[in-house]
């Protein structure tokens, strides 16, 4: 059938007109592109998607971005049916609705009905204008642009993110959180319908104020949904019977320091998914706030807590301070990220490294006696000394002198390097300024660094950087299932054997802090923990771990004000125990660390911790690392030839052919001998050597401990001020001889102190024992 010429002409004109319109649209689209770039209120969510913390937009609006996966089918069907039944069948503009509205408005001579589709409403909310016909034409053009560039679901998402709900609340996500305290995908049909009617009358229907009127309007629409068979009858019936007890809640304010930290790190993201477990976070915040409230009477006002999951290496709770809004006590400081003195909390790593270097095992004995290392004389917290003590007991009792000695053997650069590998950035930056005092708190660390270090002990010595956020690819996983670990390649801080040894020591109940904490310790899962107290009692630390969690606690004052009663054992550990009771009370010993197969046991001499000799009668079991640990045989006794009356001893050069006997004496180090003498502790002294012998002996020379080689000493009174001379010597020494600038000065008994007045700016001091062994130092003197 051929078309008539007139019809052909009309068809041609229509085609040309349509093509022209398309060309014009394309040109206008290029000249005036649509930009659906909304500024959203940043939100920080927990790992299950619930909102932890929300921020206002720059224009002070609560406009939160609802993700596509949060828009449930029920929400979509209800909104589309109510607002735009033909949403999925038109291209932004509904011609039938436009025609109907034009006729109605023409005959009534005023605007009685609109023709806005959901897409047109999005266009109007993006670019608000006066309500007139020109604005309507612009809306239609913008709506068409949106349909060209976005999918229907994306347009619906834009609509639901901008629709007004009264006051400064925009979007269904902000409304569902602020009115119902839940995310959009958790809303019931009754709640969805209630929210769907508010945008048409946001000022007259206010949730929490007009709930009865809202319920009446809601039920009216629910019956319409039933008539349209939009939902099944049972769902509609339940929705009609559901009461509306909603009201405006405060915006979520959990983990404020973490929220600000993540927002500053990623300011462009509308939503940041943290690794936080909301329930663990809630418990940690409540326990910390309640505990600090009790400490305020002691003038202690701040605390911080970090909880790390040892299986995924994700942070489960982040409490930057006990009260974020306590401005008077600097509550907005982030105690997790702040740098503080670590006290004794670095000692476990030190001993772990010593185990790996073969410098010690748990039963190795160290002399806890007065010590001076190049002018540095550390002291224990109780200002007492314990003589010979095992490494395990030194760690349990947190003794300072043994730790300083081990660090001196390990060397500070090696220790700093290991800390750097474990993420201690501030220590690495200040590596040129730190010395032996760093093991006692003479450096700065963060709570997150310390907690991650202790988590490495729970992970067989493997350090993983703690994860604060989840990557986008994991957001769509089942919210209630554990996410597999995604941390990067681990850093081996200590061996699995060393980690197990440290954990075994720190789990033992023979602790100086436990008697005072026995009531809090009831019901606590088996954990390893270590405390620390900084100089001046400004910081109290307690960090514990088991197979599942590592928890770090810091307590003190952000102002730096010290408190006499503040200490890690009595102040921080009770909160640590409370946290483990609340978070991991059901943990069993079966979840605890397993002993590495490569670690072994052996009997050692209890006097030295070394492989027993034939005369070592008292032996104990000890861990050791085959091929690494020291295998030297014990030498805690030495045989000495003495006269029958035991008043003099002989060497191989002067020993008579007969008339002597062999006797065993303790082979005591010079520093331990000096300690025994000063503390009046009895011990078996080797008799004075045969005075007729002229041999010069090998062995330990005296150690001058009152002055330090190479140092300059300031003298205020040249005629009166004196310098002390003292030294430590071996067990077989009775007398020592002092020389000043190679000139004989005096003779003293072993361990006796003497004094001299310096006369010259450069002084050489020599000390010779009665076996001919010599020690020399040189000092400088500056006269004021």
């Amino acid at each position: 059938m051929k078309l008539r010429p007139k019809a052909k002409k009309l068809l041609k004109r229509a085609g040309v007109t349509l093509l022209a319109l398309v060309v014009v649209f394309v040109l206008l689209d290029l000249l005036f592109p649509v930009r659906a770039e909304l500024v959203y209120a940043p939100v920080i969510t927990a790992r299950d998607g619930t909102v932890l913390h929300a921020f206002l937009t720059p224009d002070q609006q609560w406009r939160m971005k609802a993700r596509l996966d949060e828009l449930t089918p029920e929400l979509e069907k209800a909104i589309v049916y109510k607002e735009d039944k033909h949403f999925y069948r038109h291209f932004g503009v509904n011609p039938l609705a436009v025609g109907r509205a034009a006729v109605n408005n023409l005959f009534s001579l005023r605007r009685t009905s609109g023709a806005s589709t959901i897409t047109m409403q999005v266009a109007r909310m993006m670019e608000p204008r006066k309500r007139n016909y020109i604005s309507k034409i612009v809306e239609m053009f913008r709506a068409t642009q949106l349909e060209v560039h976005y999918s229907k679901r994306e347009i619906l998402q834009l609509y639901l993110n901008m629709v007004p709900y009264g006051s400064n609340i925009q979007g269904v996500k902000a409304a569902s959180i602020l009115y119902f305290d839940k995310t959009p995908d958790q809303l019931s049909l009754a709640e969805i319908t209630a929210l769907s009617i508010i945008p048409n009358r946001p000022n007259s229907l206010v949730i929490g104020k007009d709930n009865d009127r809202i319920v009446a309007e809601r039920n009216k629409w629910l019956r319409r949904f039933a008539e349209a068979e939009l939902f099944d009858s049972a769902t509609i019936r339940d929705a009609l019977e559901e009461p509306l007890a909603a009201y405006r809640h405060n915006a979520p304010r959990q983990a404020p320091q973490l929220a600000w930290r993540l927002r500053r790190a990623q300011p462009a993201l509308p939503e940041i998914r943290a690794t936080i477990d909301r329930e663990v976070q809630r418990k940690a915040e409540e326990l910390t706030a309640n505990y600090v409230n009790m400490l305020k009477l002691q003038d202690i006002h701040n605390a911080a807590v970090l909880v790390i999951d040892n299986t995924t290496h994700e942070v489960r709770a982040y409490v930057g301070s006990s009260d974020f809004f306590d401005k008077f006590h600097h509550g907005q400081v982030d105690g997790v990220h702040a740098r503080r003195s670590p006290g004794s909390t670095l000692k476990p790593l030190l001993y772990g490294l010593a185990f790996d270097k073969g410098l010690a095992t748990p039963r190795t004995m160290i002399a806890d006696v007065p010590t001076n290392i190049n002018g540095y004389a550390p002291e224990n917290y109780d200002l007492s000394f314990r003589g010979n003590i095992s490494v395990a007991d030194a760690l349990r009792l947190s003794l300072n002198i043994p730790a300083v000695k081990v660090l001196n053997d390990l060397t500070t650069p090696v220790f700093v390097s290991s800390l750097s590998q474990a993420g201690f950035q501030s220590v690495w930056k200040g590596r040129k300024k730190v010395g032996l005092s760093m093991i006692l708190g003479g450096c700065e660390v963060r709570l997150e660094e310390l907690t991650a270090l202790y988590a490495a002990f729970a992970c067989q010595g493997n350090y993983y950087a703690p994860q604060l956020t989840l990557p986008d690819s994991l957001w769509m996983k089942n919210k209630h299932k554990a996410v597999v670990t995604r941390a990067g390649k681990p850093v081996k801080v200590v061996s699995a054997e060393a980690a197990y040894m440290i954990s075994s020591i720190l789990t033992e109940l023979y602790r100086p802090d436990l008697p005072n904490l026995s009531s809090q310790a009831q019901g606590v899962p088996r954990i390893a923990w270590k405390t620390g107290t900084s100089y001046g009692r400004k910081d109290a630390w307690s960090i514990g771990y088991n197979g599942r969690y590592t928890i770090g606690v810091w307590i003190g004052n952000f102002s730096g004000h010290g408190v006499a009663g503040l200490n890690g054992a009595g102040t921080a550990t009770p909160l640590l125990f409370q946290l483990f009771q609340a978070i991991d009370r059901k943990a069993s010993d079966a979840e605890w660390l397993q002993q590495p197969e490569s670690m072994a046991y052996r009997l050692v001499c209890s006097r030295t911790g070394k492989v027993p000799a034939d005369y070592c009668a008292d032996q104990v079991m000890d861990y050791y690392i085959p091929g690494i640990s020291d295998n030297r045989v014990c030498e805690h006794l030495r045989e000495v030839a003495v006269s029958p009356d035991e008043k003099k001893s002989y060497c191989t050069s002067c020993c008579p052919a007969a008339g002597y006997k062999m006797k065993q004496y303790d082979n005591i180090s010079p520093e331990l001998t000096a300690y025994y003498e000063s503390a009046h502790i009895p011990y078996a002294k080797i008799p004075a050597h045969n005075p007729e012998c002229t041999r010069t002996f090998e062995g330990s020379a005296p150690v001058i401990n009152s002055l330090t080689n190479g140092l300059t000493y300031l003298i205020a009174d040249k005629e009166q001020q004196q310098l002390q001379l003292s030294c430590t010597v071996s067990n077989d020494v009775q007398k020592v001889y002092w020389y000043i600038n190679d000139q004989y000065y005096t003779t003293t008994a072993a361990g006796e102190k003497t004094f001299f007045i310096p006369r010259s700016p450069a002084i050489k001091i020599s000390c010779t024992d009665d076996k001919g062994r010599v020690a020399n130092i040189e000092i400088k003197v500056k006269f004021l």
Side-chain angles (χ1 to χ4, degrees):
M1 176 179 176
K2 295 183 178 180
L3 294 174
R4 295 179 181 179
K6 189 173 183 180
K8 285 183 177 182
K9 190 174 182 180
L10 288 174
L11 188 60
K12 185 177 180 180
R13 286 180 178 178
V16 171
T17 302
L18 181 61
L19 180 61
L21 288 174
V22 171
V23 172
V24 170
F25 175 80
V26 171
L27 290 174
L28 290 174
D29 185 51
L30 292 173
L31 292 173
F32 305 100
V34 64
R35 291 185 175 88
E37 298 174 357
L38 301 181
V39 177
Y40 292 104
V43 295
I44 311 299
T45 66
R47 68 193 311 270
D48 63 353
T50 56
V51 177
L52 288 172
H53 200 100
F55 298 90
L56 285 164
T57 61
D59 58 350
Q60 302 301 298
Q61 299 294 311
W62 292 113
R63 187 189 307 115
M64 305 176 192
K65 183 178 182 179
R67 304 187 311 275
L68 287 173
D69 65 296
E70 292 180 305
L71 307 181
T72 62
E74 293 78 11
L75 177 61
E76 290 188 32
K77 285 196 291 185
I79 293 296
V80 170
Y81 183 84
K82 182 180 179 300
E83 294 295 329
D84 186 0
K85 295 185 181 68
H86 304 287
F87 175 67
Y88 290 105
R89 294 191 291 273
H90 62 65
F91 206 67
V93 179
N94 187 341
L96 296 178
V98 172
R100 183 185 67 248
V103 171
N104 292 340
N105 295 341
L106 179 65
F107 282 100
S108 63
L109 299 178
R110 61 188 179 88
R111 194 177 78 84
T112 58
S113 64
S116 293
T117 63
I118 286 179
T119 315
M120 291 173 64
Q121 291 184 60
V122 171
R124 182 171 64 247
M125 288 186 289
M126 287 171 54
E127 299 177 359
R129 290 184 174 84
K130 291 183 178 180
R131 305 290 291 272
N132 54 43
Y133 291 109
I134 295 177
S135 296
K136 186 64 68 175
I137 292 172
V138 174
E139 283 178 19
M140 292 179 180
F141 169 69
R142 288 298 194 194
T144 306
Q145 284 183 295
L146 287 170
E147 294 282 349
V148 168
H149 294 287
Y150 297 92
S151 68
K152 286 290 187 180
R153 289 209 76 208
E154 289 174 330
I155 293 171
L156 183 61
Q157 180 189 27
L158 286 170
Y159 172 78
L160 291 173
N161 283 335
M162 290 191 292
V163 65
Y165 283 95
S167 185
N168 63 340
I169 301 176
Q170 294 184 13
V172 69
K173 184 166 185 174
S176 63
I177 289 172
L178 295 175
Y179 288 133
F180 295 103
D181 194 25
K182 57 179 70 172
T183 52
D185 56 344
Q186 298 172 327
L187 294 173
S188 66
L189 179 59
E191 293 166 340
I192 289 172
T193 308
L195 288 180
S196 70
I197 64 176
I198 303 297
N200 302 115
R201 299 159 63 185
N203 295 322
S204 59
L205 293 178
V206 179
I207 292 181
K209 178 181 178 183
D210 307 302
N211 282 8
D212 291 340
R213 294 170 58 197
I214 293 173
V215 168
E217 190 70 17
R218 178 200 72 182
N219 291 347
K220 186 187 301 182
W221 276 100
L222 284 171
R223 294 186 184 96
R224 291 177 184 175
F225 293 161
E227 293 172 3
E229 297 182 349
L230 205 62
F231 305 99
D232 62 78
S233 57
T235 303
I236 295 292
R237 184 173 59 253
D238 291 341
L240 287 168
E241 295 175 356
E242 185 176 316
L244 180 64
Y247 61 93
R248 178 158 181 174
H249 298 78
N250 292 324
R253 283 289 183 267
Q254 281 188 283
Q257 279 92 346
L258 174 64
W260 278 102
R261 179 176 174 179
L262 294 179
R263 184 187 177 188
R264 284 192 292 266
Q266 305 178 79
L269 293 182
E271 178 178 341
I272 300 174
R273 183 69 63 92
T275 59
I276 298 297
D277 183 308
R278 188 177 187 181
E279 185 61 19
V280 174
Q281 178 72 25
R282 182 189 65 79
K283 290 179 180 179
E285 288 184 350
E286 289 180 359
L287 287 171
T288 304
N290 293 337
Y291 188 74
V292 172
N293 282 336
M294 295 188 298
L295 295 178
K296 289 182 178 179
L297 294 175
Q298 303 177 38
D299 198 22
I300 302 170
H301 301 279
N302 302 113
V305 170
L306 190 71
V307 180
I308 296 178
D309 188 321
N310 293 331
T311 58
T312 63
H313 320 295
E314 296 171 350
V315 173
R316 291 287 178 256
Y318 188 115
V319 183
S321 68
S322 54
D323 185 357
F324 182 80
F325 301 100
D326 183 3
K327 295 183 178 179
F328 186 77
H329 296 105
H330 314 285
Q332 295 183 2
V333 171
D334 185 352
V336 173
H337 198 60
R339 293 192 296 268
R340 312 289 297 190
S341 168
S344 298
T345 54
L346 296 177
K347 290 175 182 175
L349 175 62
L350 170 67
Y351 288 116
L353 293 172
F355 296 160
D356 281 337
K357 297 291 185 181
L359 299 176
T361 62
R363 289 287 185 174
T364 299
M365 303 301 288
I366 302 179
D368 177 29
V369 297
T371 301
N372 187 308
I373 303 175
N374 296 327
Y376 178 53
E379 295 178 330
N380 291 322
Y381 63 93
D382 58 1
L383 303 180
S384 65
F385 308 96
R386 290 159 179 80
N388 262 355
I389 191 169
S390 69
V391 165
D393 286 340
L395 176 56
R396 273 193 293 268
L397 299 174
S398 195
L399 299 180
N400 295 337
I401 293 172
V404 171
K405 287 184 171 183
V406 172
L407 179 56
N408 187 52
D409 293 338
L410 182 70
T411 74
T412 303
V414 170
F415 189 57
V416 170
S417 177
S418 296
L419 286 172
S420 175
Q421 289 181 322
F424 285 76
Q425 299 177 0
S426 52
V427 173
W428 178 251
K429 290 179 181 177
R431 61 190 180 278
K432 295 182 179 180
K433 301 178 182 179
V434 298
L436 295 177
S437 64
M438 69 178 301
I439 197 59
L440 309 183
C443 59
E444 290 186 333
V445 302
R446 296 184 170 99
L447 176 61
E448 62 183 317
E449 295 171 341
L450 277 176
T451 310
L453 171 64
Y454 279 69
F457 292 119
C459 298
Q460 297 186 322
N462 295 313
Y463 167 80
Y464 295 87
Q467 305 298 309
L468 294 174
T469 60
L470 291 172
D472 295 347
S473 60
L474 295 180
W475 286 19
M476 303 306 163
K477 287 186 178 288
N478 188 321
K479 296 176 182 178
H480 304 290
K481 290 184 180 179
V483 180
V484 295
T485 179
R486 56 181 174 81
K489 186 177 180 180
V491 176
K492 200 68 174 175
V493 178
V494 294
S495 68
E497 296 83 1
Y500 182 82
M501 293 181 193
I502 293 297
S503 299
S504 299
I505 294 170
L506 296 182
T507 53
E508 293 187 20
L509 295 180
Y510 174 57
R511 304 284 289 273
D513 47 357
L514 193 64
N516 296 329
L517 303 173
S518 57
S519 59
Q520 288 95 341
Q522 296 178 2
V524 178
R526 186 186 177 205
I527 63 171
W529 86 94
K530 180 71 181 72
T531 62
T533 307
S534 68
Y535 179 77
R537 297 187 180 272
K538 299 177 181 180
D539 309 275
W541 304 86
S542 190
I543 304 167
Y545 60 92
N546 60 13
R548 186 175 181 188
Y549 290 114
T550 299
I551 302 178
V553 174
W554 171 88
I555 293 179
N557 291 307
F558 289 141
S559 64
H561 170 62
V563 178
L566 183 74
N567 64 81
T571 309
T573 302
L575 178 57
L576 177 74
F577 285 0
Q578 290 179 25
L579 289 164
F580 267 108
Q581 286 176 325
I583 295 171
D584 199 29
R585 188 182 185 91
K586 296 181 180 179
S588 65
D589 288 349
E591 298 178 41
W592 193 230
L593 305 173
Q594 300 297 316
Q595 178 180 325
E597 294 181 0
S598 54
M599 195 183 71
Y601 295 91
R602 67 183 179 187
L603 286 171
V604 296
C605 177
S606 63
R607 299 284 298 274
T608 61
K610 295 182 179 181
V611 176
D614 294 337
Y615 49 74
C616 296
D618 188 7
Q619 300 178 15
V620 293
M621 194 65 69
D622 189 18
Y623 300 117
Y624 79 105
I625 306 174
I628 300 294
S629 299
D630 187 7
N631 286 320
R632 287 181 294 175
V633 177
C634 175
E635 297 177 343
H636 81 274
L637 293 178
R638 57 182 294 192
E639 277 197 328
V640 180
V642 296
S643 60
D645 59 3
E646 299 182 8
K647 291 185 177 181
K648 63 181 177 180
S649 59
Y650 304 104
C651 65
T652 55
S653 298
C654 65
C655 184
Y660 71 93
K661 64 179 181 179
M662 302 300 295
K663 185 176 180 179
Q664 288 183 330
Y665 290 87
D666 288 332
N667 192 13
I668 304 174
S669 65
E671 60 178 358
L672 196 59
T673 301
Y675 168 66
Y676 287 163
E677 291 287 347
S678 63
H680 305 291
I681 297 175
Y683 66 99
K685 299 181 182 179
I686 299 175
H689 189 62
N690 180 13
E692 299 176 1
C693 182
T694 58
R695 175 185 172 188
T696 299
F697 288 82
E698 296 180 356
S700 299
V703 177
I704 301 173
N705 57 11
S706 58
L707 300 171
T708 301
N709 186 44
L711 289 189
T712 299
Y713 293 85
L714 302 181
I715 301 298
D717 189 341
K718 188 175 181 179
E719 300 300 327
Q720 298 292 329
Q721 191 168 345
Q722 298 179 326
L723 294 179
Q724 178 181 298
L725 296 176
S726 65
C727 66
T728 59
V729 294
S730 298
N731 188 17
D732 58 350
V733 175
Q734 306 297 319
K735 294 182 179 181
V736 292
Y737 309 93
W738 293 97
Y739 297 82
I740 307 296
N741 289 330
D742 295 325
Q743 299 294 318
Y744 173 75
Y745 178 67
T746 188
T747 300
T748 64
E752 183 182 351
K753 299 175 183 177
T754 187
F755 297 86
F756 77 101
I757 297 176
R759 301 294 187 186
S760 60
I763 300 175
K764 177 184 177 183
I765 300 172
S766 303
C767 179
T768 304
D769 63 22
D770 55 15
K771 299 296 184 293
R773 295 169 294 206
V774 182
N776 298 296
I777 65 170
E778 293 183 0
I779 64 171
K780 292 183 179 180
V781 173
K782 184 175 181 180
F783 300 100
L784 301 180

